[in-house]
Amino acid sequence: MLRGRGVEFDTIEYLKDHPTRERLEKIIDMLDSPVADLVRKDKRFKELGLNPTDYADKKSVVALLLEHPELMQRPIVIRGKRAIIARPPEKLEALL
């Protein structure tokens, strides 16, 4: 969608370049959605035996994503001082 609109962007491969605590906290502060939305509750989440209710606050989400960055919901698009979890891609409309 970004390419189609001619929007320049940087891609960060978070599994190769893990986000720092500071970066995660900054992203969380920019999100319009609940912090719990930043955690993927997928097969890997279940394999780890995690409980979604344990990851509803900033501190627990940051700790989890530092240990298991693969659980970070993506893509995250940041523009200015706002961030959106762009899943589904139509959510980008509010940011563009």
Side-chain angles (χ1 to χ4, degrees):
M1 179 179 267
L2 294 175
R3 282 187 186 103
R5 290 183 177 211
V7 175
E8 291 186 32
F9 61 92
D10 296 323
T11 300
I12 298 171
E13 295 187 36
Y14 69 98
L15 292 178
K16 291 180 183 177
D17 184 17
H18 299 291
T20 63
R21 175 178 306 280
E22 294 78 22
R23 186 67 175 147
L24 287 170
E25 289 174 350
K26 187 175 181 179
I27 290 169
I28 289 168
D29 290 342
M30 292 189 291
L31 284 174
D32 290 339
S33 58
V35 65
D37 291 352
L38 194 55
V39 178
R40 293 172 56 106
K41 280 77 167 190
D42 60 5
K43 181 181 174 184
R44 177 72 177 136
F45 187 88
K46 292 174 187 163
E47 287 172 355
L48 292 168
L50 302 175
N51 182 343
T53 59
D54 293 337
Y55 303 98
D57 63 85
K58 183 177 181 176
K59 184 177 178 180
S60 62
V61 168
V62 169
L64 177 65
L65 295 179
L66 287 172
E67 186 173 348
H68 298 285
E70 73 275 14
L71 293 177
M72 186 163 60
Q73 189 63 266
R74 66 235 183 243
I76 298 169
V77 178
I78 299 170
R79 185 171 193 193
K81 295 183 180 186
R82 294 184 57 212
I84 285 187
I85 300 168
R87 185 177 293 238
E90 292 76 27
K91 287 188 172 185
L92 275 175
E93 293 295 332
L95 194 62
L96 300 176

